[in-house]
Amino acid sequence: IMVNCNPETVSTDYDTSDRLYFEPLTLEDVLNVIAAEQPMAVVVSLGGQTPLKLAGLLPEELVAGTNPRSIDLAEDRELWNSLCAKLEIPQPPGGTAADLEQARAVVAVVGYPVLVRPSYVLGGRAMEIVYDDSQLERAMSQLSGFGSLGIEGGLSAERPVLVDRFLEDATEVDVDAIRDAVGDIVIGAVMEHVEEAGVHSGDSACVIPPPYLPDEVVATIEEHTRRIAEALDVRGLINVQYAVKGDEVYVIEANPRASRTVPFVAKATGVPLAKVASRVMLGATLVDLRTEGLLVDRVVGDHVAIKEAVMPFNRFPEADPVLGPEMRSTGEVMGIDLTPGLAFYKSQISAGSDLPESGTVFFSLADRDKRAGLEAARGFTDLGLSIVATSGTAAHLRDNGLPVAGVVAKLGEDGTDAVELIRSGAIQMVVNSPRGRGPRADGEHIRAAASAGGIPLLTTAAAALAAARGLADWRHFPLEVRTLQAYHRGITRDPEVSVP
């Protein structure tokens, strides 16, 4: 029996369940279905954050898998902090705040920039990266009226805002795992994000296996995941998110439920995670499932899989297409091949953003992105593309020995600005990374023009670097289309063919 509040999500799979209810996912409606159907168990961990919030309100004996108390342990900020301290797993420093003064007190300890977000949020809603006092004041004012917080009278000790130090230039990592009732754990995959920490995980491209994380960092992440799943007494799926800065691994959050990455992991590794987790939630052990052949080992091969987000900005030209902590994507695709570059290039084609093989790339980078942006620009130049840039970015590129074909004027200044160049067809790709989420008139106009013109737009230096590597691999290797089943049998790269 499935209860679904969105008919569109099951329009192509209407026969997945024996019975299908289109009802709001509220306590009253779910209890009405339970009363009518008298189910043996209720699965709350395969439908995202909304059903997870209902877990503690449903009859405890009906909740399949992870106990509602364990779910609350992961969701409640104070309990979660205590658990991480007990396990000696580092977290980004931070605290909770019920008003602006408390938020300022947290910032006085941890320093700017900080990530400000309401607790128990879905899809990163109302999250913001804050760089100074004025942005903090605005963010706290907006959060007071956000969603249910506003309806329930604003912020309070029971409905606080989470204020955490934002780790700039850190690499974000996702892990999906399954734990059974006897404590056995299987790690589905460790996924390295293409975009740096601060871009919502639903909007960031991520890679299996992680191409740039050292083996010892991956081992630390897997060990932390096992210990967290054990401490939470997880029965089924768990998703844990980390930020890696240097060799230090920080845990951001754990969700004892299926993540949106589970289907991607299953396709990339050949392991049916959702089916395995469903059986585990109903009492089967991982040993049982291995014996009957449902739980198989991850495929051994050289293939790389990349999940990329599909953005709706072509339908909403007035929306600023910059990526940040609030989720914007409306779908996902996967690119798969034998190098990270080829897999990334395929993922861009699938997402409707075909990268140019010739022409001119416009660069406008925030100061913190100029180091990675320099490497990306060098990659595009080596491939024969021309670079134009705003004055500050152009000076940085030239100081480091890169040719810049032209300096682009800012809006309102004398000379041709980026919007004019984009509209005239002189630019084939835009790389524009803003700082924070405050007012940035130039950047918003540039990104809007690129979106309206259907020109590939990259809003992080990390994505630009991935694009340059993708184009390099695209030229170096022939395009091959293979079935998913072929990858699951294991494909190895020809050792005679070098990877650039």
Side-chain angles (χ1 to χ4, degrees):
I1 300 164
M2 180 182 289
V3 184
N4 196 311
C5 62
N6 182 2
E8 186 61 31
T9 60
V10 289
S11 61
T12 56
D13 296 306
Y14 54 87
D15 57 352
T16 298
S17 56
D18 297 313
R19 193 162 297 170
L20 175 60
Y21 284 84
F22 289 129
E23 300 287 352
L25 287 181
T26 65
L27 179 62
E28 180 182 0
D29 289 285
V30 172
L31 287 177
N32 286 340
V33 174
I34 290 173
E37 297 289 350
Q38 296 294 306
M40 295 169 55
V42 178
V43 174
V44 298
S45 59
L46 292 178
Q49 193 73 20
T50 303
L52 208 66
K53 291 166 69 174
L54 294 175
L57 305 174
L58 297 174
E60 187 173 312
E61 68 277 5
L62 281 182
V63 177
T66 305
N67 188 286
R69 289 188 298 275
S70 294
I71 294 172
D72 193 54
L73 184 58
E75 295 284 345
D76 184 283
R77 168 39 72 88
E78 300 300 331
L79 296 175
W80 170 245
N81 286 352
S82 298
L83 178 66
C84 289
K86 180 181 176 182
L87 296 174
E88 298 182 343
I89 296 176
Q91 293 177 276
T96 60
D99 55 37
L100 178 59
E101 289 308 310
Q102 291 181 13
R104 284 175 173 157
V106 174
V107 170
V109 175
V110 305
Y112 287 112
V114 292
L115 181 64
V116 179
R117 54 189 167 137
S119 48
Y120 287 91
V121 294
L122 177 66
R125 287 184 299 167
M127 288 189 188
E128 188 165 348
I129 300 168
V130 169
Y131 287 84
D132 55 41
D133 287 344
S134 61
Q135 290 184 5
L136 180 66
E137 185 173 348
R138 188 187 72 248
M140 292 297 291
S141 174
Q142 291 174 346
L143 283 170
S144 295
F146 167 70
S148 61
L149 291 176
I151 295 170
E152 296 166 15
L155 303 174
S156 70
E158 291 75 34
R159 299 180 296 276
V161 167
L162 312 180
V163 183
D164 295 314
R165 172 75 190 193
F166 174 58
L167 302 173
E168 286 197 293
D169 302 321
T171 299
E172 191 159 333
V173 178
D174 258 90
V175 183
D176 284 327
I178 298 173
R179 179 182 179 273
D180 65 16
V182 298
D184 285 344
I185 296 174
V186 60
I187 302 290
V190 176
M191 293 157 272
E192 181 178 346
H193 288 220
V194 171
E195 284 79 9
E196 66 273 11
V199 174
H200 191 279
S201 60
D203 289 349
S204 176
C206 63
V207 190
I208 300 174
Y212 306 114
L213 292 180
D215 291 343
E216 58 271 19
V217 169
V218 174
T220 299
I221 288 169
E222 291 184 348
E223 179 59 24
H224 285 347
T225 302
R226 289 187 179 93
R227 294 175 62 211
I228 289 169
E230 185 73 29
L232 293 174
D233 194 24
V234 169
R235 313 286 178 89
L237 279 158
I238 181 171
N239 171 264
V240 190
Q241 294 176 21
Y242 298 92
V244 178
K245 189 153 187 175
D247 291 330
E248 190 72 47
V249 177
Y250 299 89
V251 63
I252 300 174
E253 64 182 15
N255 293 299
R257 60 170 171 85
S259 166
R260 68 180 59 79
T261 51
V262 165
F264 165 60
V265 173
K267 287 181 171 62
T269 64
V271 181
L273 290 185
K275 191 174 291 187
V276 170
S278 299
R279 293 285 303 279
V280 165
M281 283 186 281
L282 296 176
T285 68
L286 295 176
V287 171
D288 295 337
L289 300 180
R290 283 194 181 95
T291 301
E292 70 177 64
L294 178 61
L295 177 56
V296 295
D297 291 332
R298 289 179 56 175
V299 61
V300 176
D302 289 334
H303 71 269
V304 177
I306 293 185
K307 173 191 77 73
E308 180 59 288
V310 177
M311 300 297 176
F313 299 125
N314 60 334
R315 299 185 182 185
F316 301 97
E318 73 285 353
D320 186 359
V322 67
L323 301 182
E326 188 165 351
M327 184 171 163
R328 320 287 292 280
S329 66
T330 53
E332 294 174 334
V333 294
M334 182 174 83
I336 186 168
D337 213 298
L338 297 183
T339 74
L342 276 179
F344 183 81
Y345 197 101
K346 284 184 175 180
S347 74
Q348 299 309 296
I349 295 173
S350 300
S353 180
D354 198 0
L355 301 176
E357 297 185 58
S358 61
T360 301
V361 183
F362 168 74
F363 271 77
S364 177
L365 299 170
D367 287 342
R368 66 184 177 88
D369 287 324
K370 284 178 179 172
R371 184 165 56 88
L374 172 66
E375 192 176 344
R378 182 173 285 116
F380 289 129
T381 301
D382 290 346
L383 292 168
L385 282 82
S386 299
I387 304 292
V388 296
T390 50
S391 56
T393 302
H396 177 74
L397 297 178
R398 283 172 170 165
D399 288 347
N400 285 275
L402 278 186
V404 177
V407 178
V408 179
K410 292 184 179 180
L411 297 182
E413 293 182 351
D414 291 337
T416 305
D417 61 48
V419 172
E420 293 177 75
L421 287 174
I422 291 168
R423 288 175 177 166
S424 70
I427 290 175
Q428 281 66 54
M429 183 160 65
V430 171
V431 180
N432 175 248
S433 69
R435 178 180 182 273
R437 296 295 303 271
R440 300 168 305 281
D442 271 31
E444 289 186 11
H445 288 300
I446 291 167
R447 292 188 294 274
S451 186
I455 295 171
L457 169 66
L458 304 172
T459 62
T460 67
L465 183 54
R469 289 168 174 163
L471 281 169
D473 278 7
W474 190 257
R475 291 190 182 181
H476 191 80
F477 298 108
L479 171 64
E480 287 192 58
V481 178
R482 306 176 183 91
T483 65
L484 197 58
Q485 290 80 0
Y487 284 111
H488 288 174
R489 287 192 293 270
I491 296 178
T492 55
R493 192 170 48 237
D494 185 346
E496 299 299 319
V497 179
S498 62
V499 180

